[in-house]
Amino acid sequence: MKHFTISELLKSDTAIKNRIWNGATREVEDNLIALVAAVLDPLREKYGKAIHVSSGYRCPAVNKAIGGSLTSQHMNGEAADIYVDAGAKGNFEIGKLIVQIGNFDQVIFENVGANDLLPQWIHVSWKRQGYNRHQIRKKLKGSNNYPLLTPKDLGL
């Protein structure tokens, strides 16, 4: 783990606010380490600038408090929501870089507009065990719809 720490992947403002312990098991930590090794560190190397984690691991109570999916990969330590200082255009750039690097289970361009692919953040997941689907999706603002995208949709 060259550019990220377990503590930043466990940090949760929701957990702090609601006094929820967001500690991880060894298996969850192993999954987080694999996510960093396969996706986040290579992304940081390629991007060359800071990448921030807004949400990594979420225990079930934290996931429930934020209204997360019942099957969220965050609860397994297999996902992180990330963003960069350059805003939506920078977030789009790091999403494209993840796809180009090729190590991912899902990349979701989160809260995009109806006519753009400029995300407020990127959700990225990686499975240490099992099959990585290489799904690219977008989530429209105000919707629970996650349509599939292709590399061509990203200009690749």
Side-chain angles (χ1 to χ4, degrees):
M1 295 186 55
K2 191 172 178 182
H3 299 287
F4 298 88
T5 65
I6 290 290
S7 62
E8 76 183 298
L9 291 161
L10 294 176
K11 183 181 179 290
S12 166
D13 292 338
T14 300
I16 293 165
K17 177 183 168 190
N18 293 294
R19 297 182 178 197
I20 300 169
W21 184 71
N22 196 47
T25 64
R26 184 66 215 172
E27 181 176 350
V28 165
E29 285 189 10
D30 288 345
N31 290 341
L32 289 169
I33 291 166
L35 173 67
V36 170
V39 182
L40 298 180
D41 273 348
L43 175 62
R44 172 61 177 81
E45 292 290 322
K46 189 109 171 154
Y47 185 63
K49 300 174 200 155
I51 297 171
H52 309 286
V53 177
S54 60
S55 181
Y57 171 68
R58 297 181 199 145
C59 70
V62 169
N63 193 63
K64 183 177 181 180
I66 65 149
S69 164
L70 296 175
T71 59
S72 173
Q73 288 181 276
H74 286 276
M75 293 189 296
N76 299 325
E78 295 176 335
D81 294 337
I82 58 176
Y83 66 95
V84 296
D85 294 327
K89 287 183 180 181
N91 293 338
F92 177 75
E93 184 180 335
I94 64 170
K96 277 179 58 172
L97 283 173
I98 294 167
V99 172
Q100 288 175 314
I101 293 167
N103 289 341
F104 64 95
D105 178 50
Q106 282 189 320
V107 175
I108 304 174
F109 291 72
E110 295 272 4
N111 283 358
V112 300
N115 299 313
D116 66 57
L117 279 176
L118 298 176
Q120 290 181 332
W121 71 90
I122 296 290
H123 167 94
V124 63
S125 64
W126 172 258
K127 294 180 183 181
R128 177 172 61 99
Q129 299 175 348
Y131 176 72
N132 285 289
R133 299 168 285 179
H134 294 94
Q135 286 184 349
I136 309 165
R137 295 183 173 273
K138 67 179 178 179
K139 180 190 175 288
L140 298 171
K141 287 179 191 169
S143 168
N144 284 328
N145 197 4
Y146 291 82
L148 283 168
L149 298 171
T150 67
K152 186 176 178 180
D153 294 325
L154 305 177
L156 298 174

